[in-house]
């Protein structure tokens, strides 16, 4: 029996892609009608201080109920900052983090951090992020593997994302997505992490963090993404209507959920190709 989670960030309304993600998480844990006996957790990922809009959490709950899903809500990320700080402190003591003062502008166009502040540590006193020294960390853990239910066993390749930020510059948002989500999934007892294939590479980093911090290792299920006519991920800014828009317009949420489960996509939308299938 699986414990899965749906972990939306309240910085914009949910759209069909989120509905699909929530349905996958729900059905893998509970089955369509509760027959699998697992649990779906809802965790509001609200530590992106500047962009988070607390009122959206209520909208999300209404959207999920409208789709006919049932879930248990666990504490939002903003209540867990102490656990992020403690883990960052441990990694720093292990000598695995280094400070970085690079600005977004300096890093524009660079997919992987080129190690500027590793080679030339910034002057103390500047506002700094802390990055994971992936070479040192992997030297400590040795090779790691993880299992995606659809793609099979994977060799962890955290080097693909490079020295990611674990502690952000912004004092109000001390942890990055990678650190927060890894700690939270462990704290919440998640046994099957479900999310889109767009986050596949992030899992390599999360697996490394689990090894460094002695956390349990779940399984993963990276599901296909819903794409628009131009093959891009759905996004409200590209005109895909939100779930709240559909709900408030009187659309039948149960029918929509059923249509997504059976692959009947609303006009123009299709699922990304690959190994990835419905639960
Ligand atoms: N809060 C993240 C998002 O909305 C969740 C990603 C994940 O499921 O790990 O993209």
């Amino acid at each position: 029996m699986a414990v899965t989670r749906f972990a939306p960030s309240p910085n914009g309304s949910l759209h069909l892609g989120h509905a699909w993600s929530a349905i996958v998480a729900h059905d893998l844990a509970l089955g369509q009608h509760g027959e699998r006996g697992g649990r779906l957790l809802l965790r509001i990922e609200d530590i992106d201080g500047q962009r988070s809009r607390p009122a959206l959490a209520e909208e999300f709950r209404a959207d999920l109920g409208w789709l006919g899903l049932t879930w248990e809500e666990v504490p939002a990320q903003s209540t867990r900052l102490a656990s992020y700080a403690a883990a960052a402190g441990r990694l720093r003591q292990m000598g695995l983090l280094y400070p970085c003062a690079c600005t977004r502008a300096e890093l524009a166009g660079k997919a992987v951090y080129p190690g500027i502040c590793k080679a030339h540590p910034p002057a103390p006193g500047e506002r700094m992020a802390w990055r994971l020294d992936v070479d040192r960390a992997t030297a400590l853990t040795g090779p790691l593997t993880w299992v995606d239910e659809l793609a099979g066993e994977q060799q962890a390749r955290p080097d693909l994302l490079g020295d990611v930020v674990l502690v952000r510059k912004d004092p109000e948002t001390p942890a990055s997505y990678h650190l927060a989500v890894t700690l939270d999934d462990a704290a919440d007892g998640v046994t099957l992490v479900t999310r889109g294939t767009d986050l596949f590479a992030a899992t390599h980093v999360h697996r490394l963090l689990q090894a460094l911090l002695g956390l349990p290792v779940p399984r993963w299920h990276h599901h296909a993404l819903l794409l628009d006519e131009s093959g891009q991920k759905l996004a409200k800014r590209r005109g895909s209507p939100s779930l709240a828009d559909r709900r408030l317009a009187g659309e039948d949420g149960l029918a929509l959920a059923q249509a997504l489960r059976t692959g009947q996509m609303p006009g123009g939308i299709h699922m990304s190709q690959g190994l990835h299938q419905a639960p």
Side-chain angles (χ1 to χ4, degrees):
M1 268 187 304
V3 180
T4 63
R5 87 300 195 271
F6 177 58
S9 304
N11 48 28
S13 289
L14 302 182
H15 54 65
L16 276 182
H18 295 105
W20 173 236
S21 201
I23 290 167
V24 170
H26 175 274
D27 289 4
L28 285 171
L30 286 96
Q32 253 190 74
H33 309 289
E35 67 279 7
R36 290 198 186 192
R39 297 163 65 211
L40 167 64
L41 310 180
L42 170 66
R43 184 175 64 232
I44 304 294
E45 304 217 317
D46 59 348
I47 54 167
D48 198 350
Q50 277 126 39
R51 292 191 306 160
S52 271
R53 286 159 45 203
L56 281 174
E58 203 41 59
E59 181 183 298
F60 294 177
R61 293 180 197 108
D63 291 339
L64 297 180
W66 173 70
L67 291 167
L69 307 183
T70 51
W71 68 91
E72 294 162 51
E73 187 160 348
V74 294
Q77 286 192 325
S78 55
T79 67
R80 306 184 190 213
L81 303 186
S83 79
Y84 308 150
R90 275 180 64 194
L91 293 170
R92 206 174 294 153
Q93 270 179 355
M94 292 161 79
L96 298 177
L97 302 189
Y98 62 87
C100 172
C102 293
T103 61
R104 260 173 215 272
E106 282 165 340
L107 300 178
K110 298 184 174 66
V112 169
Y113 184 65
I116 302 163
C117 289
K118 188 175 169 184
H120 305 284
E126 284 181 80
R127 282 222 303 183
M128 275 170 298
W130 290 79
R131 290 183 179 273
L132 179 64
D133 185 333
V134 170
D135 284 345
R136 278 183 99 145
T138 48
L140 203 65
T141 63
L144 298 166
T145 59
W146 55 275
V147 176
D148 179 273
E149 285 195 341
L150 301 172
E153 187 173 75
Q154 308 292 313
Q155 294 292 330
R157 292 284 316 274
D159 53 303
L160 294 177
L161 287 191
D163 290 352
V164 291
V165 169
L166 293 190
V167 180
R168 296 198 222 171
K169 274 185 197 172
D170 176 2
E172 280 175 31
T173 313
S176 72
Y177 160 68
H178 297 299
L179 183 60
V181 85
T182 304
L183 290 167
D184 293 348
D185 284 338
D188 293 339
V190 171
T191 62
L192 178 62
V193 174
T194 59
R195 58 181 169 224
T197 50
D198 52 336
L199 286 166
F200 199 91
T203 300
H204 295 305
V205 178
H206 304 176
R207 180 67 190 89
L208 176 59
L209 290 174
Q210 286 156 357
L212 295 171
L213 293 167
L215 302 174
V217 182
R219 291 163 67 85
W220 282 265
H221 180 113
H222 293 92
H223 60 74
L225 304 176
L226 299 194
L227 306 176
D228 65 16
E229 280 124 330
S230 59
Q232 290 192 291
K233 248 177 74 173
L234 298 185
K236 189 142 196 223
R237 62 179 181 283
R238 283 193 293 272
S240 117
S242 70
L243 298 184
D245 293 339
R246 291 172 177 270
R247 174 166 54 81
L248 295 170
E251 191 174 329
D252 181 342
L254 296 180
L256 176 65
Q258 218 43 36
L260 291 175
R261 285 184 173 109
T262 53
Q264 291 162 281
M265 300 293 154
I269 292 171
H270 61 284
M271 204 166 285
S272 61
Q273 300 295 310
L275 307 146
H276 315 288
Q277 68 217 11

